[in-house]
Amino acid sequence: MKNKSFFRFSARICGVALAAMLMSACATPPTDPEARKSFDEANDPLEPTNRTVFEFNMAFDKYLLKPVAEGYRWSLPDDTRAVIRRVLANLRAPVTFGNDVLQGNMGRAMETLMRMTVNTIMGMGGMFDVAGQYGLQRHEEDFGQTLAVWGFDEGPYIMLPIFGPSNIRDAIGLGVDAVADPLGWFIGTPELFARAAVGGIDRRSEVIEPLDELERTSVDFYATIRSLYRQRRNDEINNGAPGMNLPAPSISYDFPDDEKIAEPPPPRNPAPAPAAETPAAPAPSLVAKPAS
Amino acid sequence: MIRRAFLSGLFAVSLLAMAPAVSAGPLEDESRIFVKGLADRAIAVLKADAPKAQRDKVFEDILREGFDIKAIAIFCVGGYWNKMTEQERQGYLSLFEKLIVQTYSSRMASVYNGQNLEIGAARPDGKAGSWVTSQIVSGNPADQSLRIDWRVRQVDGKGLKIIDVVVTNISMVVTQRDDFVGILQRNNGNIPEFIGMLRDKVAKLQAP
């Protein structure tokens, strides 16, 4: 298998990250009940280490990724970048197909398979989204989502070097997808790296202004990214079904009209029901966690 | 991942073109009209590409009239609200409103590019509230539309108020709460320091 060394490299990255985490001190859970509650909700016992990695990622972004992404966006016309994006998306289709099947979603698996076939042949290697014009919309699945569908808990939040926000479940998924990607049967490690690099640059180039704005307007950018990551993943796991990821702030405060505030619609994942009598609104647990 | 999440956030208060939709009852219909009215005003000022001060003013008016800003502010500090003195609460509430105006005025102006908002159906959310669904659509059919859900509730004596804006299942209120609680968690619940940080952030964002 040509992608063996790619796997070995990924494994090494994971190993280094894991070692760094184990060596560094975990955050000590606070004793104050309120602080303890938010500590548990953040699900980020490795926060001190994660913040260090985040700093590193921010520096990596500032000095390398963002300038390259800006150059990429500046030098290539929109249409060209759209073609690159579609080719990359088409190359990703086998992984999505595999995960559709593993999640038992045969309808979506068929969609992915048809898209891949039509776009590879009629869309000239995925350069054009012919299937999309016939109403077959693209979706993505990964093994982290598959694990979630199988009932795995997300595990603690982890900030991976370069790869960015993740958690134990999604980091495992990332590794499994990389190893199992059938593309590795056909192309070598340098090409896999090139694909990963172009994909990363392309995705970064799409969010230059939004990320700048998000950073500028956040008080704690790290915590904001953590929140967005979790909500976004939950949306992806539920395949974007409306109302499945609802914030469930039962916005029940010490207000006179407390009784009038409705319970949030039940999320798909059995989140702990927010207690109506809690004075402060309970945080929505976006992914089901075992009762502690 | 950040992209959709974020773009969504940017459009949290946005533009509408009314589309025919099915509704469940009078409260739902009223809520749809209410959301559309607010969004129309935001769109108008974004379309006009008005100067920052004017745009900020419109967003401030929309926020004050259309949102249960106090309820949202309290939600956003989690249990730390109970630990704030009366004076800290007043300071926090005033800064919170300013922060939200600045955040959304600037986010939306930075990404607005002629999109429209189509109001969809509404469904009940308990006895006194409803969810109004909508879609952000651009002129370009190749772009995917973004779903935005508005959580509206009836507040005694004040009429309808929005309490959350949820973009592709990402709640703006939860995201804001996680931002604030992240800070409070990290500084061991030091509320004066937190309010100081908010003040600095607002001052920075208000600068022209």
Side-chain angles (χ1 to χ4, degrees), chain A residues 30 32 34-35 37-39 41 47 51 137-138 165 206-207 210-211 213-220 223-229 231-232 235-236 240-251 253-255 257 260-265 279-284 286, chain B residues 1-7 10 68 70-72 74-75 78-83 89 99 103 106-107 110-111 123 125-128 131 144 147 149 151 153-156 163-164 166 168-171 173-175 177-183 185-186 197-198 201 204-205:
Chain A
D32 174 77
E34 197 47 60
K37 197 170 125 250
S38 18
F39 178 84
E41 279 165 14
E47 182 166 344
R51 282 195 186 261
Q137 291 304 315
R138 193 172 86 85
E206 287 281 280
V207 290
L211 266 188
E213 267 299 307
L214 191 65
E215 184 178 1
R216 204 169 75 89
T217 53
S218 301
V219 188
D220 186 345
T224 301
I225 293 287
R226 184 173 63 196
S227 175
L228 289 175
Y229 179 73
Q231 294 185 68
R232 172 87 173 111
D235 177 53
E236 289 174 340
M244 285 310 157
N245 194 24
L246 283 176
S250 69
I251 308 214
Y253 311 128
D254 34 10
F255 275 18
D257 54 346
K260 301 196 71 174
I261 295 143
E263 287 294 308
L286 293 164
Chain B
M1 75 100 200
I2 292 165
R3 165 163 201 222
R4 211 173 73 174
F6 187 75
L7 280 181
L10 307 182
D68 193 346
K70 191 178 175 193
I72 295 169
I74 294 170
F75 176 79
Y80 292 98
W81 175 257
N82 292 332
K83 304 195 164 183
R89 286 182 178 184
L99 180 74
T103 298
S106 126
R107 280 186 190 176
S110 82
V111 297
R123 62 179 189 279
D125 177 37
K127 281 187 201 110
W131 282 103
Q144 278 198 330
R147 197 181 83 247
D149 298 318
R151 193 175 205 182
R153 74 173 188 189
Q154 185 84 44
V155 178
D156 273 350
I163 54 169
D164 198 2
V166 181
T168 60
N169 279 341
I170 291 166
S171 154
V173 165
V174 168
T175 307
R177 192 268 321 261
D178 290 348
D179 181 1
F180 287 176
V181 171
I183 280 284
Q185 178 73 44
R186 202 153 59 110
M197 289 166 102
L198 282 189
K201 183 55 90 177
K204 242 181 240 166
L205 293 173

Side-chain angles (χ1 to χ4, degrees), chain B residues 93-104:
Chain B
L93 287 176
S94 136
L95 285 168
F96 181 80
E97 187 181 288
K98 293 191 177 99
L99 180 74
I100 297 302
V101 167
Q102 289 300 323
T103 298
Y104 287 93

Side-chain angles (χ1 to χ4, degrees), chain B residues 28 38 73 95 113 121 166 178 182 190 206:
Chain B
E28 283 73 50
L38 291 172
L95 285 168
N113 191 17
V166 181
D178 290 348
N190 186 335
Q206 277 177 338

Side-chain angles (χ1 to χ4, degrees), chain A residues 121-273:
Chain A
I121 297 166
M122 290 165 68
M124 302 200 284
M127 286 167 67
F128 303 99
D129 186 3
V130 180
Q133 289 164 11
Y134 290 98
L136 277 173
Q137 291 304 315
R138 193 172 86 85
H139 69 268
E140 270 197 13
E141 293 294 342
D142 55 65
F143 196 66
Q145 295 182 51
T146 299
L147 287 173
V149 169
W150 289 352
F152 281 84
D153 185 58
E154 62 185 340
Y157 182 71
I158 313 173
M159 181 60 67
L160 296 173
I162 318 289
F163 290 95
S166 192
N167 53 45
I168 300 282
R169 180 196 66 209
D170 294 343
I172 292 170
L174 202 64
V176 170
D177 284 335
V179 176
D181 190 343
L183 198 63
W185 304 338
F186 304 105
I187 65 174
T189 305
E191 289 85 357
L192 286 174
F193 271 107
R195 176 182 73 149
V198 175
I201 293 162
D202 180 63
R203 277 196 302 280
R204 184 65 182 91
S205 75
E206 287 281 280
V207 290
I208 292 172
E209 286 78 16
L211 266 188
D212 285 350
E213 267 299 307
L214 191 65
E215 184 178 1
R216 204 169 75 89
T217 53
S218 301
V219 188
D220 186 345
F221 190 41
Y222 172 86
T224 301
I225 293 287
R226 184 173 63 196
S227 175
L228 289 175
Y229 179 73
R230 190 163 300 150
Q231 294 185 68
R232 172 87 173 111
R233 285 301 281 173
N234 220 35
D235 177 53
E236 289 174 340
I237 290 161
N238 290 313
N239 296 337
M244 285 310 157
N245 194 24
L246 283 176
S250 69
I251 308 214
S252 64
Y253 311 128
D254 34 10
F255 275 18
D257 54 346
D258 247 0
E259 308 71 41
K260 301 196 71 174
I261 295 143
E263 287 294 308
R268 174 184 286 177
N269 288 330

